[in-house]
Amino acid sequence: MKKWVAVFLALVIVGVIFSGTLAEIKERGKLIVGTEPTFPPFEYVNENNEIVGFDIDIAQKIADELGVELEILNLPFDSLIPALISDKIDLIVAGMTITEERAKVIDFSIPYFNANQAIVVRDGEPFMPQTLGDLKGKKVAVQLGTTGDLVVSDISGVTITRFQKFTDAFLELQNKRVDAVVLDEAVANAYVKTFPKFIVAAVIDTGEKYGIGVKKGNEELLEFVNTVISNMFKSPYDLLVEKWFEETK
Ligand code: ARG
């Protein structure tokens, strides 16, 4: 009996040590990435019901470089960090802004995209906010736990409705139950492009940078992800310079 307890404990310990590490991912044969796919063009569900986008291509590149399959887990945005901490996913690739608060509990890769917030309203109506202050006394929809949520929560006198999905936030705007949606600029532009009844009223310079989330202490995976990203930044010219002038091996 005692022997089995010891074996079990040993397996648990090994499991804890190896979970999410490069060795474990390779052994498992797949990289599990968590995202929230109502965030076009970074991640969204296409007409074939597949999750696609800029972030998904980056995640695919990381999986390819590891030589494993890519599995995408669709989770609410505010569940991504808990899922990473509890080893349900190996990485967060979700247009996630690197913030001080988040960096206390998870690690971030080098930045891979710059972002600002935008205010979206119904086109052709008198309400055209130019600043965050113009949202005072108004009803505003955001995605729960995002930087947009934080920015709007900082203004007093705003009625905030927090949604899990941006698609629901825009439905609320369309149905005139809110006056505006606040979200990342590139994503605001993507929604306005598909739904011309909306318009970007203003861009708020928040100077955000997206990073890929890695579990704290998982240095090996973090290094790997950083290498893949920095290689993606290199132009064919950079690669030639590296090949002919910097290659030392
Ligand atoms: N950049 C914002 C943040 O980090 C919004 C990200 C939302 N991403 C998503 N896949 N829904 O809070």
Side-chain angles (χ1 to χ4, degrees):
M1 193 59 189
K2 263 187 191 153
K3 191 173 120 197
W4 291 114
V5 172
V7 168
F8 175 75
L9 282 181
L11 284 175
V12 168
I13 290 164
V14 167
V16 167
I17 292 172
F18 282 109
S19 62
T21 61
L22 280 189
E24 205 233 10
I25 293 164
K26 284 182 180 159
E27 175 74 22
R28 190 201 298 142
K30 67 179 179 192
L31 176 72
I32 307 173
V33 167
T35 199
E36 190 290 312
T38 65
F39 205 63
F42 296 95
E43 44 267 340
Y44 62 98
V45 180
N46 71 6
E47 53 286 351
N48 300 323
N49 228 21
E50 298 152 341
I51 299 176
V52 296
F54 182 87
D55 279 343
I56 309 306
D57 283 354
I58 293 182
Q60 186 64 60
K61 180 82 185 143
I62 298 168
D64 289 349
E65 294 292 326
L66 280 166
V68 299
E69 294 291 303
L70 174 67
E71 181 179 317
I72 300 287
L73 269 195
N74 177 345
L75 294 167
F77 187 74
D78 70 326
S79 303
L80 291 169
I81 290 180
L84 185 68
I85 292 174
S86 60
D87 293 314
K88 288 187 184 65
I89 55 178
D90 301 311
L91 297 174
I92 299 172
V93 189
M96 185 176 272
T97 303
I98 303 169
T99 69
E100 235 172 80
E101 278 306 300
R102 291 172 181 163
K104 283 181 191 155
V105 287
I106 64 170
D107 281 340
F108 281 103
S109 70
I110 53 171
Y112 70 91
F113 202 87
N114 296 331
N116 288 306
Q117 294 297 304
I119 307 175
V120 179
V121 297
R122 287 180 299 275
D123 198 8
E125 286 187 26
F127 181 54
M128 266 309 141
Q130 292 308 300
T131 63
L132 282 174
D134 292 345
L135 297 177
K136 267 193 204 312
K138 299 289 177 184
K139 296 187 196 117
V140 179
V142 296
Q143 183 174 56
L144 179 67
T146 56
T147 46
D149 183 355
L150 290 178
V151 157
V152 180
S153 300
D154 270 351
I155 323 163
S156 57
V158 180
T159 309
I160 310 177
T161 323
R162 298 178 174 87
F163 291 93
Q164 301 274 24
K165 296 180 178 163
F166 277 117
T167 42
D168 290 336
F170 280 105
L171 213 57
E172 204 78 345
L173 182 63
Q174 182 185 327
N175 296 336
K176 307 195 177 190
R177 283 193 291 261
V178 295
D179 304 301
V181 178
V182 172
L183 77 166
D184 301 48
E185 183 186 6
V187 182
N189 290 333
Y191 273 102
V192 167
K193 211 167 150 195
T194 13
F195 303 105
K197 50 187 170 292
F198 303 136
I199 186 172
V200 175
V203 172
I204 315 297
D205 187 355
T206 50
E208 295 169 59
K209 288 178 192 314
Y210 296 166
I212 291 178
V214 182
K215 192 182 179 179
K216 267 206 186 300
N218 205 342
E219 296 299 329
E220 236 189 345
L221 183 57
L222 182 64
E223 280 297 301
F224 193 89
V225 167
N226 281 341
T227 306
V228 174
I229 297 174
S230 40
N231 283 337
M232 289 180 85
F233 289 149
K234 287 177 190 162
S235 68
Y237 179 87
D238 294 333
L239 292 169
L240 273 192
V241 170
E242 197 165 276
K243 176 179 174 189
W244 292 101
F245 297 97
E246 291 165 15
E247 192 68 62
T248 45
K249 275 159 260 160

